[in-house]
Amino acid sequence: MAAPEQFEGFMIHDTKNWDNFTKEKFTPKVFEDYDVDIENECCGVCGSDVHTITGGWGELATAPICVGHEIIGKVLRVGSQVKEFKAGDRVGVGAQVQSCMKCPQCKSNNENYCPNMVDTYGAPYNLGGGNPNKDAGGPMKDKSGKQIFAQGGYSSHSRVHEQFVFKIPNNITSHEAGPMMCAGLTVYSPLKRANTGPGKKVAILGIGGLGHFGVIWARAMGAEVWALSHTPSKEAEAKKLGAHHFVSTGEKDWFKPLAFTFDFILNAADMTHEFNLQDYMSTLAVNGEFHNVGLPDKPLPQMMAQDFAGNGCKIAGSHIGSKKEAMEMLKLASEKDLHPMIETIDISEEGCSKAVRKVKNNDIRYRVTLTGFHKAFGTGLK
């Protein structure tokens, strides 16, 4: 079954009316040899969606825009060069839909750092952009001559390069798999690259949408896990998710007993600009790492080079994860029967508005997945 010529999505037109969604048709990218057409079933709501539509990360790259990059759906058709998928497969898509497939990053399981990547929404397409055997052509345009931009998963269908499509294990429900596609992978990748496992002491800072995944993965990977939060009421939930220890960072001198403790701090908080980072860095073991996956609208606090000298610590960041890491993450969740904490809201103009407002107001535990796509778009017919 082929996807329709135009897809439908719930879109916003400007950042001043960021929670005013309307259902509209849009033109997807041209179907090419390495593409997979997907009929969407559900989509997680990410903090990135909110940063984008509110203008926190800058002006919209294109308008109207359909956000959403935690997509689960069913394969409808595949391009002539696609070998991994077939019609009917249940698959997921995260925050990237294409890369050049030729550069050193793409050839070393680091395609999430390709300089020519295409984000799942708001990024322009070039003809043949994901073909590993030839150079990309010029801008991809619609019938009216306008540049085609990627549009996200609050939509009826998605068209994605096969490298960025992930087969979902049968025992992971779609509404739980959705948030794994961005939030889950964004924290799994740095934990994996830090060699998280037995003998490692790992702190997860900020127990929210990202951080609760961090606790789940770090515990499942075998580390000793601390949850750091300014909200003492989250202690019971953090320990239920897998934390061995809980530290309330709102308490005076909370950091002093933890000097030289952590091999790795995964900072999943969205308010780092308000932190006294020196306190957090002091809790790192020699050569320990403070790693940012939360991406706030405002700059990090100013620090002196001397602040890193006392324990030889470092500060770093990362961007989502690779397909190799995505498949490892899904295998871990499947084999260890791991479950994130998810709320669901049926997709509609009102549902999208409610979901993004809940995320912006931090009024969720701990992710939201938009569901009911088949009813909203008239899809799902056999």
Side-chain angles (χ1 to χ4, degrees), residues 298-347:
K298 297 182 181 179
L300 295 175
Q302 189 172 32
M303 295 183 71
M304 299 288 288
Q306 293 91 322
D307 294 328
F308 300 89
N311 52 1
C313 63
K314 51 187 176 285
I315 189 167
S318 54
H319 177 252
I320 49 175
S322 68
K323 180 164 191 165
K324 181 175 183 289
E325 290 162 339
M327 300 316 298
E328 290 173 358
M329 172 194 71
L330 289 167
K331 182 180 180 187
L332 181 72
S334 174
E335 291 182 349
K336 297 208 170 187
D337 195 27
L338 303 176
H339 298 276
M341 293 178 65
I342 308 294
E343 298 180 21
T344 60
I345 296 174
D346 281 343
I347 194 168

mmCIF file of all heavy atoms in Angstrom, residues 298-347:
data_model
loop_
_atom_site.group_PDB
_atom_site.id
_atom_site.type_symbol
_atom_site.label_atom_id
_atom_site.label_comp_id
_atom_site.label_asym_id
_atom_site.label_seq_id
_atom_site.Cartn_x
_atom_site.Cartn_y
_atom_site.Cartn_z
ATOM 1 N N LYS A 298 18.614 28.915 27.662
ATOM 2 C CA LYS A 298 19.588 29.928 28.080
ATOM 3 C C LYS A 298 20.989 29.336 28.213
ATOM 4 O O LYS A 298 21.155 28.128 28.384
ATOM 5 C CB LYS A 298 19.140 30.551 29.409
ATOM 6 C CG LYS A 298 17.809 31.287 29.287
ATOM 7 C CD LYS A 298 17.391 31.931 30.588
ATOM 8 C CE LYS A 298 16.047 32.651 30.445
ATOM 9 N NZ LYS A 298 15.609 33.270 31.711
ATOM 10 N N PRO A 299 22.040 30.192 28.162
ATOM 11 C CA PRO A 299 23.430 29.703 28.234
ATOM 12 C C PRO A 299 23.739 29.050 29.580
ATOM 13 O O PRO A 299 23.099 29.341 30.603
ATOM 14 C CB PRO A 299 24.264 30.975 28.045
ATOM 15 C CG PRO A 299 23.355 31.966 27.417
ATOM 16 C CD PRO A 299 21.981 31.642 27.912
ATOM 17 N N LEU A 300 24.760 28.206 29.571
ATOM 18 C CA LEU A 300 25.246 27.615 30.812
ATOM 19 C C LEU A 300 25.868 28.698 31.692
ATOM 20 O O LEU A 300 26.333 29.726 31.194
ATOM 21 C CB LEU A 300 26.299 26.546 30.515
ATOM 22 C CG LEU A 300 25.830 25.300 29.763
ATOM 23 C CD1 LEU A 300 27.007 24.399 29.454
ATOM 24 C CD2 LEU A 300 24.780 24.542 30.557
ATOM 25 N N PRO A 301 25.931 28.475 33.022
ATOM 26 C CA PRO A 301 26.573 29.454 33.901
ATOM 27 C C PRO A 301 28.056 29.607 33.566
ATOM 28 O O PRO A 301 28.709 28.672 33.098
ATOM 29 C CB PRO A 301 26.403 28.834 35.292
ATOM 30 C CG PRO A 301 25.293 27.855 35.162
ATOM 31 C CD PRO A 301 25.361 27.348 33.760
ATOM 32 N N GLN A 302 28.571 30.791 33.820
ATOM 33 C CA GLN A 302 29.985 31.038 33.562
ATOM 34 C C GLN A 302 30.841 30.280 34.571
ATOM 35 O O GLN A 302 30.509 30.199 35.752
ATOM 36 C CB GLN A 302 30.282 32.538 33.653
ATOM 37 C CG GLN A 302 31.667 32.927 33.190
ATOM 38 C CD GLN A 302 31.833 34.441 33.127
ATOM 39 O OE1 GLN A 302 31.230 35.164 33.909
ATOM 40 N NE2 GLN A 302 32.630 34.916 32.202
ATOM 41 N N MET A 303 31.952 29.729 34.098
ATOM 42 C CA MET A 303 32.883 29.007 34.964
ATOM 43 C C MET A 303 34.307 29.430 34.625
ATOM 44 O O MET A 303 34.594 29.912 33.529
ATOM 45 C CB MET A 303 32.734 27.493 34.787
ATOM 46 C CG MET A 303 31.388 26.941 35.222
ATOM 47 S SD MET A 303 31.290 25.147 35.089
ATOM 48 C CE MET A 303 32.393 24.644 36.428
ATOM 49 N N MET A 304 35.198 29.210 35.578
ATOM 50 C CA MET A 304 36.619 29.446 35.386
ATOM 51 C C MET A 304 37.299 28.129 35.022
ATOM 52 O O MET A 304 36.870 27.052 35.457
ATOM 53 C CB MET A 304 37.247 30.008 36.665
ATOM 54 C CG MET A 304 36.672 31.336 37.116
ATOM 55 S SD MET A 304 37.176 32.706 36.053
ATOM 56 C CE MET A 304 38.918 32.852 36.535
ATOM 57 N N ALA A 305 38.377 28.213 34.276
ATOM 58 C CA ALA A 305 39.137 27.005 33.949
ATOM 59 C C ALA A 305 39.602 26.299 35.217
ATOM 60 O O ALA A 305 39.685 25.061 35.266
ATOM 61 C CB ALA A 305 40.330 27.367 33.067
ATOM 62 N N GLN A 306 39.875 27.074 36.254
ATOM 63 C CA GLN A 306 40.340 26.487 37.514
ATOM 64 C C GLN A 306 39.305 25.563 38.150
ATOM 65 O O GLN A 306 39.660 24.688 38.947
ATOM 66 C CB GLN A 306 40.701 27.607 38.510
ATOM 67 C CG GLN A 306 41.907 28.433 38.110
ATOM 68 C CD GLN A 306 41.544 29.651 37.283
ATOM 69 O OE1 GLN A 306 40.641 29.576 36.440
ATOM 70 N NE2 GLN A 306 42.242 30.771 37.498
ATOM 71 N N ASP A 307 38.027 25.758 37.794
ATOM 72 C CA ASP A 307 36.976 24.924 38.379
ATOM 73 C C ASP A 307 37.098 23.459 37.973
ATOM 74 O O ASP A 307 36.522 22.581 38.624
ATOM 75 C CB ASP A 307 35.598 25.446 37.961
ATOM 76 C CG ASP A 307 35.292 26.824 38.532
ATOM 77 O OD1 ASP A 307 35.766 27.120 39.647
ATOM 78 O OD2 ASP A 307 34.598 27.602 37.857
ATOM 79 N N PHE A 308 37.824 23.203 36.896
ATOM 80 C CA PHE A 308 37.989 21.826 36.419
ATOM 81 C C PHE A 308 39.268 21.178 36.950
ATOM 82 O O PHE A 308 39.498 19.990 36.755
ATOM 83 C CB PHE A 308 38.023 21.806 34.886
ATOM 84 C CG PHE A 308 36.781 22.342 34.241
ATOM 85 C CD1 PHE A 308 36.657 23.689 33.943
ATOM 86 C CD2 PHE A 308 35.711 21.511 33.952
ATOM 87 C CE1 PHE A 308 35.506 24.194 33.353
ATOM 88 C CE2 PHE A 308 34.559 21.999 33.367
ATOM 89 C CZ PHE A 308 34.456 23.350 33.071
ATOM 90 N N ALA A 309 40.107 21.966 37.577
ATOM 91 C CA ALA A 309 41.452 21.491 37.913
ATOM 92 C C ALA A 309 41.498 20.608 39.155
ATOM 93 O O ALA A 309 42.330 19.703 39.256
ATOM 94 C CB ALA A 309 42.396 22.686 38.094
ATOM 95 N N GLY A 310 40.602 20.862 40.123
ATOM 96 C CA GLY A 310 40.702 20.167 41.405
ATOM 97 C C GLY A 310 40.539 18.663 41.319
ATOM 98 O O GLY A 310 41.119 17.923 42.126
ATOM 99 N N ASN A 311 39.759 18.197 40.355
ATOM 100 C CA ASN A 311 39.581 16.749 40.189
ATOM 101 C C ASN A 311 39.762 16.305 38.729
ATOM 102 O O ASN A 311 39.412 15.184 38.370
ATOM 103 C CB ASN A 311 38.207 16.302 40.711
ATOM 104 C CG ASN A 311 37.051 17.115 40.128
ATOM 105 O OD1 ASN A 311 37.267 18.006 39.305
ATOM 106 N ND2 ASN A 311 35.830 16.807 40.545
ATOM 107 N N GLY A 312 40.279 17.212 37.910
ATOM 108 C CA GLY A 312 40.521 16.843 36.508
ATOM 109 C C GLY A 312 39.250 16.494 35.773
ATOM 110 O O GLY A 312 39.263 15.695 34.829
ATOM 111 N N CYS A 313 38.129 17.109 36.181
ATOM 112 C CA CYS A 313 36.834 16.739 35.606
ATOM 113 C C CYS A 313 36.623 17.418 34.259
ATOM 114 O O CYS A 313 37.390 18.285 33.843
ATOM 115 C CB CYS A 313 35.715 17.093 36.567
ATOM 116 S SG CYS A 313 35.573 18.866 36.889
ATOM 117 N N LYS A 314 35.566 17.019 33.595
ATOM 118 C CA LYS A 314 35.248 17.594 32.284
ATOM 119 C C LYS A 314 33.742 17.725 32.131
ATOM 120 O O LYS A 314 32.970 17.051 32.824
ATOM 121 C CB LYS A 314 35.829 16.734 31.155
ATOM 122 C CG LYS A 314 35.504 15.258 31.209
ATOM 123 C CD LYS A 314 36.279 14.509 30.143
ATOM 124 C CE LYS A 314 36.065 13.004 30.207
ATOM 125 N NZ LYS A 314 36.794 12.396 31.328
ATOM 126 N N ILE A 315 33.362 18.606 31.205
ATOM 127 C CA ILE A 315 31.949 18.825 30.906
ATOM 128 C C ILE A 315 31.738 18.542 29.427
ATOM 129 O O ILE A 315 32.603 18.842 28.602
ATOM 130 C CB ILE A 315 31.534 20.264 31.278
ATOM 131 C CG1 ILE A 315 30.011 20.441 31.181
ATOM 132 C CG2 ILE A 315 32.254 21.305 30.441
ATOM 133 C CD1 ILE A 315 29.513 21.721 31.840
ATOM 134 N N ALA A 316 30.629 17.890 29.088
ATOM 135 C CA ALA A 316 30.413 17.441 27.711
ATOM 136 C C ALA A 316 28.925 17.453 27.399
ATOM 137 O O ALA A 316 28.076 17.781 28.239
ATOM 138 C CB ALA A 316 30.994 16.040 27.510
ATOM 139 N N GLY A 317 28.604 17.089 26.167
ATOM 140 C CA GLY A 317 27.222 16.975 25.728
ATOM 141 C C GLY A 317 27.137 15.981 24.594
ATOM 142 O O GLY A 317 28.157 15.457 24.127
ATOM 143 N N SER A 318 25.928 15.704 24.125
ATOM 144 C CA SER A 318 25.758 14.743 23.026
ATOM 145 C C SER A 318 24.446 15.012 22.308
ATOM 146 O O SER A 318 23.607 15.774 22.784
ATOM 147 C CB SER A 318 25.804 13.295 23.539
ATOM 148 O OG SER A 318 24.860 13.089 24.574
ATOM 149 N N HIS A 319 24.300 14.358 21.154
ATOM 150 C CA HIS A 319 23.112 14.546 20.315
ATOM 151 C C HIS A 319 22.495 13.186 20.012
ATOM 152 O O HIS A 319 23.107 12.349 19.352
ATOM 153 C CB HIS A 319 23.504 15.249 19.008
ATOM 154 C CG HIS A 319 22.369 15.416 18.046
ATOM 155 N ND1 HIS A 319 22.268 14.691 16.887
ATOM 156 C CD2 HIS A 319 21.278 16.222 18.085
ATOM 157 C CE1 HIS A 319 21.172 15.043 16.240
ATOM 158 N NE2 HIS A 319 20.550 15.964 16.942
ATOM 159 N N ILE A 320 21.312 12.953 20.500
ATOM 160 C CA ILE A 320 20.555 11.689 20.368
ATOM 161 C C ILE A 320 21.486 10.471 20.431
ATOM 162 O O ILE A 320 22.253 10.323 21.385
ATOM 163 C CB ILE A 320 19.610 11.686 19.138
ATOM 164 C CG1 ILE A 320 20.299 12.130 17.832
ATOM 165 C CG2 ILE A 320 18.435 12.589 19.442
ATOM 166 C CD1 ILE A 320 19.407 12.026 16.596
ATOM 167 N N GLY A 321 21.455 9.573 19.441
ATOM 168 C CA GLY A 321 22.286 8.384 19.435
ATOM 169 C C GLY A 321 22.261 7.765 18.057
ATOM 170 O O GLY A 321 21.521 8.200 17.168
ATOM 171 N N SER A 322 23.061 6.739 17.884
ATOM 172 C CA SER A 322 23.157 6.067 16.584
ATOM 173 C C SER A 322 22.117 4.956 16.474
ATOM 174 O O SER A 322 21.491 4.566 17.468
ATOM 175 C CB SER A 322 24.549 5.464 16.417
ATOM 176 O OG SER A 322 24.722 4.394 17.344
ATOM 177 N N LYS A 323 21.965 4.420 15.274
ATOM 178 C CA LYS A 323 21.058 3.282 15.099
ATOM 179 C C LYS A 323 21.548 2.076 15.894
ATOM 180 O O LYS A 323 20.747 1.362 16.510
ATOM 181 C CB LYS A 323 20.937 2.916 13.620
ATOM 182 C CG LYS A 323 19.988 1.735 13.379
ATOM 183 C CD LYS A 323 19.583 1.619 11.934
ATOM 184 C CE LYS A 323 18.457 0.617 11.772
ATOM 185 N NZ LYS A 323 17.790 0.716 10.465
ATOM 186 N N LYS A 324 22.850 1.854 15.900
ATOM 187 C CA LYS A 324 23.415 0.743 16.672
ATOM 188 C C LYS A 324 23.008 0.853 18.135
ATOM 189 O O LYS A 324 22.597 -0.132 18.767
ATOM 190 C CB LYS A 324 24.935 0.740 16.535
ATOM 191 C CG LYS A 324 25.661 -0.377 17.259
ATOM 192 C CD LYS A 324 27.155 -0.341 16.929
ATOM 193 C CE LYS A 324 27.912 -1.491 17.571
ATOM 194 N NZ LYS A 324 28.020 -1.323 19.050
ATOM 195 N N GLU A 325 23.099 2.062 18.685
ATOM 196 C CA GLU A 325 22.724 2.267 20.080
ATOM 197 C C GLU A 325 21.220 2.156 20.275
ATOM 198 O O GLU A 325 20.758 1.633 21.310
ATOM 199 C CB GLU A 325 23.237 3.635 20.547
ATOM 200 C CG GLU A 325 24.747 3.670 20.664
ATOM 201 C CD GLU A 325 25.343 5.072 20.703
ATOM 202 O OE1 GLU A 325 24.677 6.027 20.247
ATOM 203 O OE2 GLU A 325 26.487 5.206 21.183
ATOM 204 N N ALA A 326 20.438 2.607 19.305
ATOM 205 C CA ALA A 326 18.986 2.486 19.411
ATOM 206 C C ALA A 326 18.564 1.026 19.506
ATOM 207 O O ALA A 326 17.700 0.666 20.312
ATOM 208 C CB ALA A 326 18.311 3.163 18.223
ATOM 209 N N MET A 327 19.185 0.189 18.681
ATOM 210 C CA MET A 327 18.818 -1.227 18.700
ATOM 211 C C MET A 327 19.278 -1.905 19.988
ATOM 212 O O MET A 327 18.589 -2.780 20.523
ATOM 213 C CB MET A 327 19.398 -1.931 17.469
ATOM 214 C CG MET A 327 18.912 -1.358 16.132
ATOM 215 S SD MET A 327 17.131 -1.024 16.066
ATOM 216 C CE MET A 327 16.459 -2.678 16.292
ATOM 217 N N GLU A 328 20.442 -1.497 20.509
ATOM 218 C CA GLU A 328 20.900 -2.027 21.807
ATOM 219 C C GLU A 328 19.934 -1.627 22.919
ATOM 220 O O GLU A 328 19.607 -2.437 23.798
ATOM 221 C CB GLU A 328 22.292 -1.481 22.135
ATOM 222 C CG GLU A 328 23.417 -2.027 21.277
ATOM 223 C CD GLU A 328 24.730 -1.316 21.555
ATOM 224 O OE1 GLU A 328 24.733 -0.377 22.390
ATOM 225 O OE2 GLU A 328 25.749 -1.683 20.948
ATOM 226 N N MET A 329 19.489 -0.371 22.895
ATOM 227 C CA MET A 329 18.544 0.131 23.899
ATOM 228 C C MET A 329 17.240 -0.657 23.870
ATOM 229 O O MET A 329 16.724 -1.087 24.918
ATOM 230 C CB MET A 329 18.279 1.608 23.659
ATOM 231 C CG MET A 329 17.183 2.216 24.512
ATOM 232 S SD MET A 329 16.638 3.828 23.916
ATOM 233 C CE MET A 329 15.755 3.368 22.405
ATOM 234 N N LEU A 330 16.705 -0.874 22.669
ATOM 235 C CA LEU A 330 15.451 -1.608 22.549
ATOM 236 C C LEU A 330 15.613 -3.061 22.998
ATOM 237 O O LEU A 330 14.712 -3.630 23.623
ATOM 238 C CB LEU A 330 14.948 -1.540 21.110
ATOM 239 C CG LEU A 330 14.423 -0.165 20.668
ATOM 240 C CD1 LEU A 330 14.257 -0.108 19.162
ATOM 241 C CD2 LEU A 330 13.101 0.154 21.366
ATOM 242 N N LYS A 331 16.751 -3.640 22.707
ATOM 243 C CA LYS A 331 17.020 -5.013 23.168
ATOM 244 C C LYS A 331 17.073 -5.065 24.691
ATOM 245 O O LYS A 331 16.518 -5.981 25.312
ATOM 246 C CB LYS A 331 18.336 -5.508 22.573
ATOM 247 C CG LYS A 331 18.670 -6.941 22.952
ATOM 248 C CD LYS A 331 19.997 -7.392 22.340
ATOM 249 C CE LYS A 331 20.306 -8.828 22.740
ATOM 250 N NZ LYS A 331 21.657 -9.250 22.300
ATOM 251 N N LEU A 332 17.734 -4.079 25.312
ATOM 252 C CA LEU A 332 17.813 -4.015 26.771
ATOM 253 C C LEU A 332 16.421 -3.892 27.377
ATOM 254 O O LEU A 332 16.075 -4.618 28.322
ATOM 255 C CB LEU A 332 18.677 -2.814 27.181
ATOM 256 C CG LEU A 332 18.884 -2.595 28.679
ATOM 257 C CD1 LEU A 332 19.818 -3.653 29.255
ATOM 258 C CD2 LEU A 332 19.462 -1.202 28.949
ATOM 259 N N ALA A 333 15.603 -2.982 26.827
ATOM 260 C CA ALA A 333 14.246 -2.794 27.347
ATOM 261 C C ALA A 333 13.402 -4.045 27.185
ATOM 262 O O ALA A 333 12.625 -4.410 28.077
ATOM 263 C CB ALA A 333 13.583 -1.610 26.632
ATOM 264 N N SER A 334 13.570 -4.720 26.045
ATOM 265 C CA SER A 334 12.794 -5.926 25.776
ATOM 266 C C SER A 334 13.209 -7.075 26.686
ATOM 267 O O SER A 334 12.359 -7.721 27.319
ATOM 268 C CB SER A 334 12.973 -6.326 24.308
ATOM 269 O OG SER A 334 12.344 -7.559 24.040
ATOM 270 N N GLU A 335 14.509 -7.328 26.773
ATOM 271 C CA GLU A 335 14.989 -8.480 27.529
ATOM 272 C C GLU A 335 14.802 -8.321 29.036
ATOM 273 O O GLU A 335 14.566 -9.300 29.742
ATOM 274 C CB GLU A 335 16.459 -8.730 27.209
ATOM 275 C CG GLU A 335 16.683 -9.230 25.777
ATOM 276 C CD GLU A 335 18.130 -9.526 25.466
ATOM 277 O OE1 GLU A 335 19.008 -9.148 26.287
ATOM 278 O OE2 GLU A 335 18.395 -10.140 24.416
ATOM 279 N N LYS A 336 14.897 -7.072 29.541
ATOM 280 C CA LYS A 336 14.768 -6.846 30.982
ATOM 281 C C LYS A 336 13.384 -6.334 31.362
ATOM 282 O O LYS A 336 13.147 -6.006 32.528
ATOM 283 C CB LYS A 336 15.852 -5.872 31.453
ATOM 284 C CG LYS A 336 17.265 -6.426 31.251
ATOM 285 C CD LYS A 336 18.254 -5.875 32.254
ATOM 286 C CE LYS A 336 19.572 -6.624 32.179
ATOM 287 N NZ LYS A 336 20.508 -6.217 33.247
ATOM 288 N N ASP A 337 12.473 -6.278 30.378
ATOM 289 C CA ASP A 337 11.086 -5.893 30.621
ATOM 290 C C ASP A 337 11.013 -4.547 31.346
ATOM 291 O O ASP A 337 10.385 -4.415 32.398
ATOM 292 C CB ASP A 337 10.373 -6.977 31.434
ATOM 293 C CG ASP A 337 8.857 -6.820 31.403
ATOM 294 O OD1 ASP A 337 8.337 -6.264 30.419
ATOM 295 O OD2 ASP A 337 8.196 -7.245 32.387
ATOM 296 N N LEU A 338 11.661 -3.544 30.754
ATOM 297 C CA LEU A 338 11.744 -2.224 31.362
ATOM 298 C C LEU A 338 10.601 -1.335 30.855
ATOM 299 O O LEU A 338 10.273 -1.352 29.671
ATOM 300 C CB LEU A 338 13.093 -1.582 31.023
ATOM 301 C CG LEU A 338 14.325 -2.397 31.430
ATOM 302 C CD1 LEU A 338 15.592 -1.716 30.948
ATOM 303 C CD2 LEU A 338 14.361 -2.607 32.942
ATOM 304 N N HIS A 339 10.048 -0.545 31.769
ATOM 305 C CA HIS A 339 8.880 0.272 31.423
ATOM 306 C C HIS A 339 9.048 1.706 31.907
ATOM 307 O O HIS A 339 9.192 1.939 33.107
ATOM 308 C CB HIS A 339 7.607 -0.317 32.050
ATOM 309 C CG HIS A 339 7.276 -1.687 31.571
ATOM 310 N ND1 HIS A 339 6.570 -1.923 30.410
ATOM 311 C CD2 HIS A 339 7.586 -2.909 32.085
ATOM 312 C CE1 HIS A 339 6.444 -3.236 30.236
ATOM 313 N NE2 HIS A 339 7.058 -3.855 31.232
ATOM 314 N N PRO A 340 8.997 2.677 30.989
ATOM 315 C CA PRO A 340 8.969 4.077 31.403
ATOM 316 C C PRO A 340 7.594 4.443 31.941
ATOM 317 O O PRO A 340 6.631 3.685 31.801
ATOM 318 C CB PRO A 340 9.263 4.831 30.100
ATOM 319 C CG PRO A 340 8.722 3.935 29.031
ATOM 320 C CD PRO A 340 8.948 2.524 29.526
ATOM 321 N N MET A 341 7.504 5.623 32.569
ATOM 322 C CA MET A 341 6.217 6.130 33.076
ATOM 323 C C MET A 341 5.641 7.084 32.039
ATOM 324 O O MET A 341 6.208 8.148 31.778
ATOM 325 C CB MET A 341 6.413 6.815 34.427
ATOM 326 C CG MET A 341 6.822 5.853 35.530
ATOM 327 S SD MET A 341 7.120 6.665 37.136
ATOM 328 C CE MET A 341 5.464 7.261 37.525
ATOM 329 N N ILE A 342 4.507 6.711 31.452
ATOM 330 C CA ILE A 342 3.951 7.407 30.301
ATOM 331 C C ILE A 342 2.493 7.763 30.541
ATOM 332 O O ILE A 342 1.710 6.939 31.019
ATOM 333 C CB ILE A 342 4.036 6.521 29.027
ATOM 334 C CG1 ILE A 342 5.460 5.991 28.811
ATOM 335 C CG2 ILE A 342 3.536 7.293 27.799
ATOM 336 C CD1 ILE A 342 6.485 7.041 28.505
ATOM 337 N N GLU A 343 2.106 9.004 30.192
ATOM 338 C CA GLU A 343 0.709 9.399 30.096
ATOM 339 C C GLU A 343 0.320 9.399 28.626
ATOM 340 O O GLU A 343 1.167 9.624 27.757
ATOM 341 C CB GLU A 343 0.501 10.804 30.675
ATOM 342 C CG GLU A 343 0.832 10.942 32.141
ATOM 343 C CD GLU A 343 0.607 12.365 32.653
ATOM 344 O OE1 GLU A 343 -0.158 13.111 32.000
ATOM 345 O OE2 GLU A 343 1.197 12.716 33.678
ATOM 346 N N THR A 344 -0.936 9.170 28.321
ATOM 347 C CA THR A 344 -1.398 9.212 26.929
ATOM 348 C C THR A 344 -2.521 10.240 26.773
ATOM 349 O O THR A 344 -3.333 10.438 27.686
ATOM 350 C CB THR A 344 -1.897 7.841 26.439
ATOM 351 O OG1 THR A 344 -3.000 7.418 27.252
ATOM 352 C CG2 THR A 344 -0.787 6.804 26.514
ATOM 353 N N ILE A 345 -2.523 10.894 25.615
ATOM 354 C CA ILE A 345 -3.567 11.847 25.244
ATOM 355 C C ILE A 345 -3.915 11.589 23.784
ATOM 356 O O ILE A 345 -3.014 11.461 22.947
ATOM 357 C CB ILE A 345 -3.085 13.310 25.410
ATOM 358 C CG1 ILE A 345 -2.777 13.617 26.883
ATOM 359 C CG2 ILE A 345 -4.118 14.293 24.858
ATOM 360 C CD1 ILE A 345 -2.152 14.991 27.104
ATOM 361 N N ASP A 346 -5.189 11.495 23.456
ATOM 362 C CA ASP A 346 -5.587 11.299 22.064
ATOM 363 C C ASP A 346 -5.251 12.539 21.247
ATOM 364 O O ASP A 346 -5.504 13.674 21.665
ATOM 365 C CB ASP A 346 -7.085 11.005 21.965
ATOM 366 C CG ASP A 346 -7.412 9.564 22.313
ATOM 367 O OD1 ASP A 346 -6.495 8.728 22.318
ATOM 368 O OD2 ASP A 346 -8.600 9.279 22.590
ATOM 369 N N ILE A 347 -4.714 12.310 20.051
ATOM 370 C CA ILE A 347 -4.315 13.424 19.198
ATOM 371 C C ILE A 347 -5.537 14.113 18.598
ATOM 372 O O ILE A 347 -6.494 13.481 18.156
ATOM 373 C CB ILE A 347 -3.336 12.959 18.094
ATOM 374 C CG1 ILE A 347 -2.663 14.168 17.437
ATOM 375 C CG2 ILE A 347 -4.029 12.060 17.072
ATOM 376 C CD1 ILE A 347 -1.482 13.809 16.557
#
